[in-house]
Amino acid sequence: MRSIEFVNYPLGEGPSVLVWGVRVDGTDLRVHVAGATRDLWGREHEEETWAETERFLVGQHAGLVVCGVEDPGRHFLGEPAPEFADPATGGTAVLGCSCGLWGCWPLMTVIAATPETVVWSSFRQPFREEWGELPMGPYVFARPAYEAALAAPVRLAEDPLGPD
């Protein structure tokens, strides 16, 4: 089983807008996505230096704005509000765009909950259908630990990956 941690941190430099972030096995989900999309982006995007490429990859997503996720318990158990769902794939948005509008560049995953586990699988970027399913996951979490982490997100003073 994997471990999960939910965090809330400010979007940008001001503390007024908080977002939901996620760590899987102690690593920010955005880092997992960067690894899964590195080769895919390499086919269509060239940065000048390694540092610029890494900054781009890690910065392609931000968390979901807290006030937009009205019922996090339902959302992160795979029953999101319709605007956060992809009915074609059964996906739920778990990350949004770095601009703060989740729908610009969401990371979608299928969340399946049983009494014992919560599984995140079939990660996709809906604006890059040609990428298909991203090479990450599935992540299987023990449901009691998952629900405990969701009920008590860690509040951070700033984005754990730092400013852009």
Side-chain angles (χ1 to χ4, degrees):
M1 297 270 175
R2 304 284 188 133
S3 67
I4 192 164
E5 182 179 27
F6 291 94
V7 297
N8 294 151
Y9 60 89
L11 179 65
E13 295 183 22
S16 61
V17 178
L18 292 176
V19 297
W20 284 97
V22 178
R23 291 180 180 146
V24 175
D25 295 336
T27 300
D28 194 293
L29 185 61
R30 295 172 293 172
V31 173
H32 290 284
V33 176
T37 59
R38 184 171 282 108
D39 291 341
L40 298 166
W41 273 120
R43 297 180 199 151
E44 62 181 86
H45 193 270
E46 286 189 33
E47 293 292 333
E48 294 179 19
T49 68
W50 179 87
E52 289 173 334
T53 299
E54 291 307 302
R55 195 168 32 256
F56 170 80
L57 290 169
V58 171
Q60 66 184 303
H61 290 289
L64 299 175
V65 175
V66 167
C67 66
V69 180
E70 293 181 18
D71 187 346
R74 290 189 66 179
H75 181 96
F76 289 107
L77 285 170
E79 298 178 27
E83 63 269 18
F84 287 102
D86 180 354
T89 64
T92 297
V94 291
L95 290 176
C97 184
S98 59
C99 77
L101 300 174
W102 78 271
C104 289
W105 192 251
L107 176 67
M108 308 296 285
T109 189
V110 174
I111 301 174
T114 72
E116 295 83 28
T117 63
V118 178
V119 179
W120 288 18
S121 64
S122 301
F123 290 87
R124 294 184 178 279
Q125 171 35 257
F127 297 117
R128 291 293 191 280
E129 289 183 19
E130 67 276 13
W131 287 2
E133 188 174 321
L134 297 177
M136 56 188 287
Y139 300 135
V140 181
F141 310 103
R143 186 163 178 165
Y146 184 98
E147 288 183 340
L150 183 55
V154 175
R155 175 73 187 269
L156 303 173
E158 60 186 16
D159 184 332
L161 299 181
D164 289 338

